[in-house]
Amino acid sequence: MLAELSIRNFAIIEAITVSFERGLTVLTGETGAGKSIIIDAIGLLVGGRGSAEFVRYGTKKAEIEGLFHIEPNHPTVQKLEDVGIEFTDDMVVLRRDISHAGKSICRVNGKLVTLGILREIGQTLIDIHGQHEHQDLMQSDKHLTLLDQFGDRSIGPALLEYREVFQRYKKIQQQMKNLTENEQQMAHRLDLIQYQLEEITKAELSPNEDDELMEEKLRLGNFEKLFSALQDVYDSLHGDNKGLDWVGLAMSQLESVVDLDEELRGYHEEVANQFYLLEETAGKLNTYRDQLEFDPARLDFVEERLNEIQILKRKYGDSVEEILEYAASIEDEVDELLNREGRVDELQSDLKGIKADLTVEADNLTGLRKKVAGELVASIHHELRDLYMEKTEFAIHFNGSDESKKDFFHRSGQDDIDFMISTNPGEPLKELSKTASGGELSRIMLALKSIFSKHQGITSIIFDEVDTGVSGRVAQAMAEKIQRLSSGSQVLVITHLPQVAAMADHHLYISKEETGEGRTKTSVGNLSADEQIEELGRMIAGAEMTELTKKHAKELLHQANQIKS
């Protein structure tokens, strides 16, 4: 849930910090006080589009920061892990600064992120529905996803199996496209890779050849230094009064006294071992030196070979291994292009088999979806009855016949659906967005959200005046529906309806005032029980507060408490 929100220099807000609790939080206040501005700030915090217009006049930047508490198994945690952001103490902190030039700086748990990443993470935390935002739920291209979310327990596994087959199907389709595209392009491609393969093959490269040649070049290029150093080493060890003589003398002296002190026997053995090792090493170095031979022709060959390999590296890879790997890949491609017709026939056969499997998986998905669609329709009718839309008919229409879908597959199957509705008896079913009035859309949106919020894992839901256009018993029904929704999610609501405000577990009042500098600033305060009654009275009757209005407000609050309990 959203635990705390801090806003500085945003629109008419100079500086506010608001703490939020679980349950239903209602925000009320006069029109223009800044209620929707707070929701706009939250929208920007979770990745909404920003601009310099949001920065308070006369300041350099707007700052928005939010603290969220989430469970360790929440979808947000996986998003954080995917982008390498540390998650500790079950907390996520989002921050966004917008400069007066319109540039944004976004952070998640203190780490700089792009706006896209902020949006991805924010969408798992908060779901905002403004006065027109609910139109998103009316877009037909999102209906299939909503249906799948509703029936995830049965549809989810089937969808995963379908997508595995679909990926193979698309891969074969792409291979066929590559083989059957423009003949002239294919001929040019074949000429190119045949030339490249011939060039690499002619070079007769062997693995690690470049490393071995570099070592040989180093030896040949430093022959004199190497020979002189080995001669000096051998001369220092071998000969009269040289290293081995002195070590041998030390060995003899220790041998002469080991019978006098047993402890010296160990030292004698150590010196003797070192003597024989040095003697053996001196012999090997002498042999190695004698075998050294300076060959100018070999050095020239090595340098030419390294130059040849370097030219190939610039074209085909950073190492001999990469060049050989590239050669192997284009060798397969040459074979495929030379035998294009046979390969196309082979792919067509494979595609036919995969398509049969894909059709089976797609038909299984469609069957599951139609079953889940019936359950979803029944659930929506139940929700709509609660909102006094009992005569409304809702349906899920699966578009296209089986014949028309035969060769059509997309990432989620073969299905294309629309949510259809008829709000008046006798009227035909029409697409959702083309049928309902503003008040009806608000109720339909609330019915849908009451169902889908259980399946989307959103931490907080925000409604910005979605109760516009309703009144009376419908307003009461919406209030009760919103309150029930808050039992499973944190819900924040901006409202002008006293019925909704009375249901609040927490009531925040938004006000604005002029400062001594002639500026306007917004403030937020928690209402006490008496202040809540005063505010409900104002919402019922307007500016004038009478005893009757106050009594009505108390009754409304009492009724709301009874419903909640």
Side-chain angles (χ1 to χ4, degrees):
M1 71 169 201
L2 175 61
E4 187 170 286
L5 176 70
S6 176
I7 306 172
R8 290 179 59 84
N9 299 325
F10 185 81
I12 62 173
I13 298 175
E14 182 178 8
I16 60 170
T17 298
V18 189
S19 296
F20 296 98
E21 303 292 339
R22 295 188 181 276
L24 176 59
T25 298
V26 167
L27 293 83
T28 64
E30 295 290 349
T31 300
K35 300 184 297 298
S36 290
I37 292 175
I38 293 175
I39 304 304
D40 288 340
I42 296 175
L44 289 176
L45 183 63
V46 295
R49 184 173 297 177
S51 72
E53 295 177 1
F54 287 111
V55 180
R56 182 173 168 84
Y57 178 73
T59 62
K60 292 184 177 180
K61 66 177 180 178
E63 303 170 19
I64 312 164
E65 191 168 41
L67 168 65
F68 296 82
H69 292 308
I70 61 174
E71 299 294 330
N73 60 348
H74 193 273
T76 304
V77 178
Q78 184 60 52
K79 291 282 186 184
L80 295 174
E81 290 178 356
D82 290 344
V83 294
I85 296 176
E86 187 176 350
F87 172 69
T88 56
D89 300 326
D90 298 343
M91 293 190 302
V92 178
V93 178
L94 306 186
R95 181 182 174 95
R96 186 170 180 185
D97 298 344
I98 303 175
S99 73
H100 66 282
K103 295 183 178 180
S104 288
I105 297 176
C106 310
R107 289 183 174 87
V108 177
N109 284 355
K111 181 176 180 178
L112 282 169
V113 297
T114 64
L115 181 58
I117 291 175
L118 180 71
R119 186 180 298 115
E120 281 189 31
I121 294 171
Q123 286 174 347
T124 66
L125 293 169
I126 285 186
D127 190 5
I128 301 177
H129 293 271
Q131 297 175 58
H132 305 290
E133 295 279 342
H134 58 264
Q135 295 289 350
D136 287 348
L137 282 172
M138 309 305 149
Q139 295 176 12
S140 59
D141 60 342
K142 297 185 179 179
H143 293 170
L144 188 64
T145 300
L146 291 172
L147 177 64
D148 288 350
Q149 287 175 346
F150 178 78
D152 182 63
R153 183 170 296 180
S154 60
I155 293 175
L159 185 57
L160 284 176
E161 291 181 12
Y162 168 85
R163 283 177 175 166
E164 287 180 4
V165 182
F166 180 72
Q167 290 301 321
R168 300 204 303 271
Y169 176 77
K170 295 297 290 183
K171 183 178 180 180
I172 293 176
Q173 275 192 328
Q174 185 61 46
Q175 289 175 325
M176 287 189 61
K177 181 182 177 183
N178 292 341
L179 288 172
T180 56
E181 61 186 7
N182 186 282
E183 286 289 331
Q184 189 176 27
Q185 290 181 353
M186 298 293 285
H188 288 166
R189 174 65 180 168
L190 181 59
D191 287 343
L192 173 64
I193 60 177
Q194 280 180 323
Y195 169 79
Q196 292 176 339
L197 183 59
E198 182 181 356
E199 185 179 28
I200 297 172
T201 304
K202 188 177 178 181
E204 297 181 344
L205 299 173
S206 59
N208 300 317
E209 182 182 358
D210 51 344
D211 294 334
E212 294 170 2
L213 288 171
M214 284 299 296
E215 291 176 6
E216 187 176 0
K217 179 185 175 182
L218 189 64
R219 289 196 303 271
L220 291 170
N222 294 275
F223 173 81
E224 291 184 4
K225 181 178 180 181
L226 185 60
F227 186 91
S228 176
L230 290 174
Q231 182 67 53
D232 289 345
V233 171
Y234 183 77
D235 290 344
S236 298
L237 292 173
H238 199 276
D240 294 338
N241 290 320
K242 297 299 175 68
L244 280 171
D245 266 6
W246 287 106
V247 176
L249 178 62
M251 180 177 63
S252 298
Q253 292 297 326
L254 280 169
E255 187 178 11
S256 68
V257 295
V258 292
D259 293 335
L260 303 178
D261 188 343
E262 190 62 29
E263 187 177 345
L264 296 174
R265 189 174 299 279
Y267 294 122
H268 169 258
E269 290 178 356
E270 287 183 16
V271 172
N273 288 337
Q274 297 305 320
F275 174 80
Y276 295 125
L277 281 173
L278 278 172
E279 187 176 45
E280 182 181 359
T281 301
K284 289 180 179 179
L285 285 172
N286 188 46
T287 302
Y288 184 87
R289 181 203 62 195
D290 291 342
Q291 291 175 346
L292 284 177
E293 182 180 354
F294 179 64
D295 186 352
R298 178 61 184 175
L299 180 59
D300 291 342
F301 170 79
V302 169
E303 290 178 339
E304 288 176 6
R305 183 63 172 169
L306 284 170
N307 183 58
E308 182 183 3
I309 293 174
Q310 187 60 35
I311 292 172
L312 292 175
K313 283 183 178 181
R314 286 200 294 266
K315 293 181 179 180
Y316 308 120
D318 294 332
S319 65
V320 170
E321 285 68 28
E322 287 187 17
I323 295 171
L324 293 173
E325 287 174 8
Y326 178 73
S329 69
I330 60 174
E331 186 175 13
D332 291 339
E333 189 177 353
V334 166
D335 180 67
E336 193 170 70
L337 291 176
L338 288 173
N339 301 281
R340 189 162 64 252
E341 293 182 2
R343 181 59 178 156
V344 168
D345 291 341
E346 183 182 330
L347 287 173
Q348 284 178 335
S349 176
D350 291 345
L351 190 66
K352 185 177 180 181
I354 291 289
K355 185 178 176 182
D357 293 342
L358 196 60
T359 301
V360 171
E361 298 293 346
D363 288 344
N364 181 45
L365 262 180
T366 299
L368 291 171
R369 282 170 174 154
K370 286 183 176 179
K371 180 180 178 182
V372 169
E375 298 170 2
L376 177 57
V377 167
S379 296
I380 290 176
H381 279 148
H382 175 76
E383 297 291 337
L384 290 173
R385 280 196 297 273
D386 290 346
L387 295 169
Y388 296 98
M389 296 183 74
E390 61 277 357
K391 294 183 179 180
T392 296
E393 184 180 355
F394 182 88
I396 298 176
H397 183 240
F398 283 73
N399 300 319
S401 63
D402 293 339
E403 189 65 28
S404 66
K405 295 192 300 181
K406 187 181 296 183
D407 295 314
F408 173 73
F409 298 97
H410 56 77
R411 189 173 179 272
S412 297
Q414 288 183 298
D415 300 316
D416 175 25
I417 68 170
D418 277 318
F419 288 171
M420 311 290 286
I421 197 164
S422 171
T423 55
N424 297 301
E427 292 294 321
L429 288 165
K430 295 181 182 178
E431 292 178 24
L432 209 55
S433 58
K434 298 180 180 178
T435 305
S437 65
E440 287 171 333
L441 278 179
S442 295
R443 283 183 280 170
I444 293 166
M445 180 279 305
L446 186 55
L448 292 172
K449 183 49 60 181
S450 297
I451 294 169
F452 291 124
S453 65
K454 304 170 188 175
H455 306 277
Q456 292 176 316
I458 300 296
T459 302
S460 305
I461 301 172
I462 298 176
F463 294 115
D464 184 5
E465 299 188 27
V466 293
D467 49 20
T468 300
V470 298
S471 58
R473 64 176 187 169
V474 174
Q476 182 61 38
M478 289 190 73
E480 294 177 20
K481 186 72 69 178
I482 291 172
Q483 193 279 326
R484 282 199 295 273
L485 191 59
S486 70
S487 64
S489 300
Q490 179 191 51
V491 177
L492 311 179
V493 179
I494 289 179
T495 185
H496 291 292
L497 291 178
Q499 294 94 329
V500 175
M503 288 287 181
D505 298 312
H506 317 282
H507 194 146
L508 302 179
Y509 183 74
I510 318 297
S511 60
K512 66 177 180 179
E513 59 181 346
E514 287 189 15
T515 66
E517 301 170 348
R519 299 292 302 275
T520 301
K521 73 172 186 177
T522 294
S523 59
V524 181
N526 275 293
L527 296 184
S528 65
D530 290 340
E531 289 171 335
Q532 188 178 17
I533 292 172
E534 291 284 339
E535 175 62 5
L536 288 175
R538 182 193 65 78
M539 296 175 74
I540 293 169
E544 186 177 350
M545 175 66 70
T546 64
E547 285 301 317
L548 183 60
T549 303
K550 186 176 292 188
K551 182 180 179 182
H552 187 186
K554 289 181 179 179
E555 290 176 351
L556 189 62
L557 196 58
H558 177 69
Q559 179 186 357
N561 288 332
Q562 284 187 319
I563 293 171
K564 287 194 288 184
S565 63

